[in-house]
Amino acid sequence: PTGDCTGNYKRSVAGLDPRIAGPFPIAGDKPFSRIDTTVTSLNMNYKADKVTVTSTTGYFNFANRYDENFDYTSRALLMGAADEHTETISQEFRAVTAFGGPVNATTGLFYEHLNRSYRQDTFLAPLPRDPATGRYDTADGLYYIKGDTYSAFAQLNVKLAPSVELAGGARYTHEGRQADMGNIYVSPFRVGQLPVGVRLKTSLTDDNVSPEATLSWHPQRNTTLYAGYKTGFLSSGFSNPGNLTATATTTSIQFRSVKAKGGEVGAKGTFMGGRLGLDATAYVYDYQDLQLTSFDATTFTYNTKNAANARVQGAEVQGRYAIDANLSVHGFASYNRARFLSFPNAQCFAGQTAAQGCVGGVQNLSGQTLGASPETSANLGATYDRPVGGGWTAALSADAYYVGRYNFSAGGSNFRPDSIQSPYGKLNASLRLYTARMEFAVIGQNLTGAKYVVSSADAPGLTAGSITGMLGRPLEVIVQATYRF
């Protein structure tokens, strides 16, 4: 009711009847959302004769509290309220040598501590009043996750010849995570939920060594040809399903780490006395156990699972040309082919039939494109700088972007063949006034008001096959002031 099914940044929303919302923890009779974020960092450098030591300290605090209508109609049949708090503290020390000989090194240590609490209360059906508590909500879950990360890394840079360099190194990572999840309330009229008192307590650890190496050749001044082999690692972890059902186990809430390996070749340089800059790269990377999150509209749960394997390969080129001392143009173009090499057990989308590929509750996405991965994208822009007196400079810039066709199904794990975003373009622009220490800027993003879907998911509580789409950010104007001490 009242929904127009149009990508216009509007949708139906409703709150609970105050008599029902009263005993509903966290929630109220009106939907709301409040996010408070604090991000701080402290960077310190100590320069000795041949060594520079850098210390980077980080602190992140995220608080999110909301009460939301998830059936996207005016009936408010599916409500969820959450209170989330995440805090991380990190510290890194890095040392870089500058010896006069052919060998130099970069070494470092890293530590991070994570602490997260998440409470999710759900109203999934119009249930009778609980005579013991007076509550109408379905289930109230409380999740805790803690973790520590330790890492050490080192890289050697060796000059094999005056114009040839070999850089190689590795990073060792050890991570530990602990989870404690369970429901603290379940309606006596709701079946299929994890019973109160059953806590899913588990832990996991990861140990990984990720090596890499790059060979570079400088055929002439300000030019580089290179080839590199790289590996990577993304942590394992725990799903926060939002609704703990009776089938949840300490195994089902876990997902494995991702390992990546591949290589790239490229060339970059500046020419015409520095007026022209070019950079071109071709790459191929394979991912093992790629992590994807999907929403199950039948159980109202979010699940993070591992796809088998994926490959991303492509090429990109970018350049900059200074027409004169004040005016320059820049741009890039890229081709990116991202496919699942093997993903035989992907979750079906709601309402998917056997004729559409859903067999035994799963679909085979091997060979399909990863979600939200356009094959082509490009940019063309210009910047005009001009001194205006008194040490001030004015700068006007504009950038036009093109993004090619892609499938916006959520991460590819709920892949639907009809979830296609057509190619679109965006225009950004800014006007800046600055000195060496001060800057004032007015920044406009998506000035053409392009509407495009970033991701989607099956819509709960509606006709099977209905989906919800998250639109990209609309036209925005940012006013910014900066002072450098």
Side-chain angles (χ1 to χ4, degrees):
T2 76
D4 58 10
C5 295
T6 303
N8 56 5
Y9 300 101
K10 298 177 182 178
R11 66 170 178 84
S12 300
V13 65
L16 290 171
D17 184 298
R19 293 167 296 179
I20 297 176
F24 194 165
I26 307 172
D29 59 348
K30 295 181 177 64
F32 69 91
S33 176
R34 173 166 180 165
I35 296 175
D36 295 290
T37 305
T38 303
V39 182
T40 62
S41 64
L42 173 65
N43 298 302
M44 297 184 291
N45 293 287
Y46 176 76
K47 294 185 178 180
D49 184 30
K50 300 294 183 180
V51 179
T52 298
V53 178
T54 300
S55 169
T56 303
T57 306
Y59 175 77
F60 172 73
N61 189 297
F62 175 81
N64 179 21
R65 188 180 176 93
Y66 69 80
D67 174 21
E68 181 61 284
N69 166 208
F70 286 101
D71 57 305
Y72 302 107
T73 75
S74 59
R75 295 174 295 181
L77 295 179
L78 300 172
M79 299 291 294
D83 192 356
E84 174 187 3
H85 185 209
T86 300
E87 183 180 56
T88 63
I89 301 172
S90 64
Q91 176 63 51
E92 179 182 278
F93 293 104
R94 180 183 300 255
V96 181
T97 67
F99 301 129
V103 179
N104 278 286
T106 299
T107 60
L109 299 170
F110 175 83
Y111 170 74
E112 181 183 79
H113 176 73
L114 163 72
N115 194 0
R116 182 176 188 261
S117 64
Y118 181 66
R119 183 177 181 181
Q120 173 78 65
D121 199 358
T122 54
F123 177 88
L124 303 179
L127 301 173
R129 176 179 178 271
D130 183 346
T133 64
R135 296 171 66 160
Y136 292 90
D137 48 324
T138 302
D140 191 356
L142 190 57
Y143 314 153
Y144 298 101
I145 293 179
K146 293 184 178 181
D148 293 282
T149 301
Y150 304 86
S151 180
F153 55 92
Q155 183 185 67
L156 284 179
N157 189 299
V158 183
K159 280 203 169 187
L160 304 178
S163 60
V164 179
E165 296 178 10
L166 176 63
R171 174 185 290 270
Y172 168 73
T173 305
H174 171 80
E175 292 192 319
R177 293 281 188 271
Q178 302 87 42
D180 179 356
M181 302 183 185
N183 288 322
I184 57 177
Y185 170 79
V186 173
S187 169
F189 302 103
R190 178 73 176 187
V191 297
Q193 302 297 127
L194 190 71
V196 174
V198 178
R199 302 295 298 182
L200 303 180
K201 296 183 179 182
T202 184
S203 62
L204 55 83
T205 59
D206 272 314
D207 289 279
N208 176 264
V209 177
S210 297
E212 67 172 22
T214 301
L215 182 65
S216 303
W217 175 43
H218 309 283
Q220 63 183 49
R221 184 178 176 84
N222 297 325
T223 63
T224 301
L225 301 176
Y226 68 91
Y229 171 77
K230 301 177 185 293
T231 62
F233 162 76
L234 182 64
S235 309
S236 58
F238 304 101
S239 293
N240 280 179
N243 179 41
L244 277 170
T245 65
T247 59
T249 66
T250 55
T251 300
S252 68
I253 63 173
Q254 297 187 29
F255 51 88
R256 300 184 300 276
S257 59
V258 182
K259 295 180 176 62
K261 63 179 179 180
E264 58 187 66
V265 294
K268 56 185 176 181
T270 56
F271 310 92
M272 302 174 62
R275 294 177 60 188
L276 175 65
L278 294 173
D279 188 342
T281 306
Y283 56 86
V284 56
Y285 287 96
D286 287 342
Y287 296 86
Q288 179 182 353
D289 290 332
L290 190 67
Q291 295 167 1
L292 299 171
T293 300
S294 60
F295 176 69
D296 189 333
T298 59
T299 60
F300 310 105
T301 58
Y302 288 90
N303 300 295
T304 301
K305 64 192 308 182
N306 296 94
N309 295 295
R311 174 171 293 168
V312 177
Q313 56 188 332
E316 57 186 38
V317 60
Q318 56 183 330
R320 178 190 60 82
Y321 177 67
I323 298 174
D324 56 33
N326 304 115
L327 179 63
S328 65
V329 294
H330 56 267
F332 76 83
S334 71
Y335 171 78
N336 184 71
R337 190 176 190 275
R339 298 286 190 274
F340 292 112
L341 295 179
S342 175
F343 195 7
N345 61 340
Q347 179 179 311
C348 298
F349 59 83
Q352 185 177 5
T353 65
Q356 294 172 313
C358 182
V359 179
V362 299
Q363 59 173 323
N364 187 353
L365 295 185
S366 302
Q368 294 287 355
T369 303
L370 272 65
S373 299
E375 287 194 344
T376 56
S377 59
N379 154 257
L380 183 62
T383 301
Y384 183 75
D385 290 79
R386 186 178 183 86
V388 293
W392 291 88
T393 299
L396 176 65
S397 66
D399 283 272
Y401 294 89
Y402 167 82
V403 179
R405 177 180 182 271
Y406 60 86
N407 187 303
F408 52 71
S409 298
S413 57
N414 285 104
F415 180 88
R416 299 172 55 103
D418 58 355
S419 298
I420 300 299
Q421 171 62 52
S422 300
Y424 66 90
K426 291 198 305 181
L427 178 65
N428 297 347
S430 67
L431 176 62
R432 303 174 187 271
L433 189 65
Y434 64 91
T435 66
R437 287 196 171 184
M438 299 180 64
E439 178 180 296
F440 299 96
V442 179
I443 304 166
Q445 300 186 19
N446 194 10
L447 296 177
T448 55
K451 295 183 177 68
Y452 55 96
V453 181
V454 177
S455 64
S456 69
D458 293 331
L462 303 181
T463 303
S466 299
I467 62 172
T468 62
M470 302 299 294
L471 293 177
R473 300 176 74 93
L475 185 153
E476 297 178 289
V477 178
I478 302 166
V479 178
Q480 181 174 287
T482 304
Y483 182 78
R484 301 176 182 87
F485 296 94

